[in-house]
């Protein structure tokens, strides 16, 4: 998969250093993946939440952080839409971000 906005991940772990290794692991896994359907993601990430508008919510570092990605399965592209603490995530609508 091609990941758009790796910079967002880097900027986040610069502010939250404890998330760095988890985000790097997620990035490596996602880059190597060939997700064609939401079910493919669930096979790799059982705790991922599949939501409307091709959004997927990933739990990062034991659910301390949340990453929302918009996925274009046909083109094999992941767009990083949001990454924040669990508390910040509680104040947004994952389907529209």
């Amino acid at each position: 998969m091609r990941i758009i906005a790796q910079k967002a991940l880097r900027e986040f772990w610069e502010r939250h250093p404890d998330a760095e290794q988890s985000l790097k692991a997620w990035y490596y896994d996602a880059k190597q993946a060939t997700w064609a359907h939401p079910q493919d993601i669930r096979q790799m990430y059982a705790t991922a939440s599949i939501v409307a508008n091709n959004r997927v919510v990933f739990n990062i570092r034991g659910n301390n952080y949340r990453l929302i990605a918009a996925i274009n399965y046909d083109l094999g592209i992941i767009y990083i839409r949001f990454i924040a603490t669990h508390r910040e995530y509680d104040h947004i609508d994952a389907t529209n971000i």
Side-chain angles (χ1 to χ4, degrees), residues 27-89:
Y27 180 84
Y28 177 80
D29 289 345
K31 188 136 181 90
Q32 302 303 314
T34 54
W35 297 327
H37 306 283
Q39 305 88 294
D40 298 337
I41 296 170
R42 292 300 301 256
Q43 289 177 354
M44 184 179 280
Y45 290 99
T47 61
S49 299
I50 310 299
V51 295
N53 297 329
N54 289 327
R55 302 294 197 271
V56 180
V57 180
F58 295 93
N59 298 320
I60 303 295
R61 196 175 181 276
N63 206 20
N64 289 326
Y65 304 107
R66 294 284 180 97
L67 184 152
I68 300 174
I71 302 180
N72 184 318
Y73 297 98
D74 294 334
L75 297 177
I77 300 175
I78 300 170
Y79 301 92
I80 305 297
R81 302 295 299 154
F82 177 86
I83 182 161
T85 65
H86 197 278
R87 176 189 244 181
E88 293 167 323
Y89 169 83

